Amino acid sequence: MIKFMKYVFILISLVIFFHLCIWGFNTKYFYVNEISIEGQNEIIKKDIIQKLSDIKGKKLVYINVEELEKGLKRDPRVEFVEIKKVYPDKLIIKINEKAPYAFVRINNKFYAADKNLVIYGNIEEIKNIDIPIINIDENTRLEDFKLILSKIKDDELYKSISEIRKNGTYYEIVLRDGTIIKTDTLVEEKKYVTSFRLYNKLKNEQAIDYLDIRYKDVNIKFKETINRQLNQEIEEQPTAKPTESKAVVKKIENNKLTTNNKDNK
């Protein structure tokens, strides 16, 4: 008799629990009432809220979290997504935004781009960040910039770059102090390392105009040295004829200091 009563009690409890579940699922407490998004980018968060607006009011138990995550990962601005159900009526979405590797300037408009220079957002969506600017126009190929960037593995050099642009047949890497590195798509990765090492060694001695790393030897032109040489040679020739002085000026203006880079021999 006691065993029978226990079975009856268990059966009644299960029936009551089942009816409570049915009642619960049919109340507002088991429908999505709140969507919380954790992330840094306010624009992306607003966009996600708008995309998921039709989920509100649906039964939380029937929400397919994996499908939602796949959908949100299609956004090129998003690196990582994790969605959790919090009963009775809440969804929590954690997102990690892509960190831009460079800004791409096209027709004087700036866009955020990843390491492969794939554009995925506007500059307005990015908080203050100091990264290189890639200048693209009708005469440039995105693949060439991508190839050059792929060879710059030195983190210190990358952080020193202000912009990269094309100038005629070659490319210019403009450093933050105004120094220009002349390069092209054929320059090897090692050349960037050794040239930047040379730049760091010489920059405190004299202001550098540019380093041309397209050849076997690194060709360096200093800013102040040329002016000093020019003034000195003119002062030493006070009686020189005008035509002779012009020849001296032309000779000095075309003068370049070539430094043999032992690492590139």
Side-chain angles (χ1 to χ4, degrees), residues 2-3 18 29 31 50 99 101 165 168-169 199 256 265:
I2 296 176
K3 285 185 178 181
F18 178 73
Y29 297 109
Y31 288 80
Q50 188 173 1
Y101 189 76
R165 64 199 181 198
T169 59
Y199 157 80
K256 295 177 181 178
K265 284 186 176 183

Side-chain angles (χ1 to χ4, degrees), residues 66-78:
E66 291 183 358
E67 286 300 317
L68 280 182
E69 289 178 346
K70 286 180 182 179
L72 294 179
K73 284 178 182 177
R74 294 191 189 102
D75 189 322
R77 301 169 296 177
V78 175

Side-chain angles (χ1 to χ4, degrees), residues 12-251:
I12 293 172
S13 299
L14 289 174
V15 171
I16 293 173
F17 177 76
F18 178 73
H19 282 285
L20 285 173
C21 288
I22 294 176
W23 174 81
F25 287 135
N26 286 303
T27 64
K28 64 179 181 178
Y29 297 109
F30 285 90
Y31 288 80
V32 178
N33 185 48
E34 181 183 354
I35 299 175
S36 174
I37 300 179
E38 299 175 4
Q40 300 298 320
N41 191 311
E42 293 299 324
I43 296 178
I44 296 178
K45 289 164 70 174
K46 288 179 181 178
D47 288 347
I48 291 176
I49 288 290
Q50 188 173 1
K51 287 179 183 177
L52 302 182
S53 59
D54 60 337
I55 288 179
K56 275 196 172 184
K58 290 187 176 181
K59 291 182 179 180
L60 185 60
V61 70
Y62 295 138
I63 299 296
N64 190 324
V65 169
E66 291 183 358
E67 286 300 317
L68 280 182
E69 289 178 346
K70 286 180 182 179
L72 294 179
K73 284 178 182 177
R74 294 191 189 102
D75 189 322
R77 301 169 296 177
V78 175
E79 187 77 33
F80 170 81
V81 179
E82 182 182 45
I83 301 177
K84 291 183 179 180
K85 296 179 182 179
V86 179
Y87 287 96
D89 60 355
K90 187 175 181 180
L91 275 179
I92 296 179
I93 302 173
K94 295 181 180 180
I95 61 170
N96 288 340
E97 304 87 351
K98 274 187 180 178
Y101 189 76
F103 289 126
V104 175
R105 178 162 57 193
I106 304 175
N107 296 327
N108 289 324
K109 292 184 178 180
F110 292 85
Y111 304 92
D114 61 19
K115 203 164 187 176
N116 293 316
L117 295 188
V118 175
I119 293 173
Y120 65 84
N122 296 315
I123 194 171
E124 292 81 9
E125 299 179 22
I126 310 299
K127 291 185 176 181
N128 293 332
I129 185 171
D130 205 1
I131 53 179
I133 296 172
I134 310 298
N135 290 284
I136 305 291
D137 57 36
E138 64 276 4
N139 299 316
T140 57
R141 294 177 65 250
L142 189 64
E143 292 299 319
D144 290 343
F145 286 105
K146 192 187 301 185
L147 183 58
I148 291 171
L149 276 174
S150 70
K151 296 177 181 179
I152 300 176
K153 302 292 179 62
D154 188 304
D155 192 53
E156 186 181 352
L157 171 57
Y158 165 75
K159 291 179 179 178
S160 300
I161 297 174
S162 174
E163 65 176 302
I164 304 177
R165 64 199 181 198
K166 190 173 185 182
N167 187 350
T169 59
Y170 61 89
Y171 292 84
E172 292 182 339
I173 298 174
V174 184
L175 304 184
R176 302 200 181 280
D177 65 356
T179 300
I180 294 173
I181 299 176
K182 296 183 179 182
T183 186
D184 57 33
T185 57
L186 300 177
V187 174
E188 298 296 330
E189 178 184 333
K190 183 180 178 182
K191 198 69 170 285
Y192 288 102
V193 176
T194 55
S195 300
F196 188 62
R197 191 181 302 152
L198 182 62
Y199 157 80
N200 282 325
K201 182 179 179 182
L202 297 175
K203 68 179 181 180
N204 294 325
E205 299 176 9
Q206 293 173 275
I208 301 173
D209 188 5
Y210 67 76
L211 297 89
D212 194 338
I213 67 174
R214 294 173 292 167
Y215 311 104
K216 180 180 179 180
D217 297 327
V218 179
N219 195 3
I220 303 177
K221 181 180 178 183
F222 296 97
K223 293 179 181 177
E224 298 176 359
T225 301
I226 294 176
N227 293 332
R228 285 203 299 266
Q229 287 179 340
L230 176 62
N231 293 333
Q232 183 178 355
E233 291 199 31
I234 292 177
E235 288 174 1
E236 289 175 354
Q237 300 182 41
T239 58
K241 296 178 182 180
T243 55
E244 293 175 342
S245 296
K246 289 180 180 179
V248 170
V249 171
K250 186 174 182 181
K251 171 188 172 185

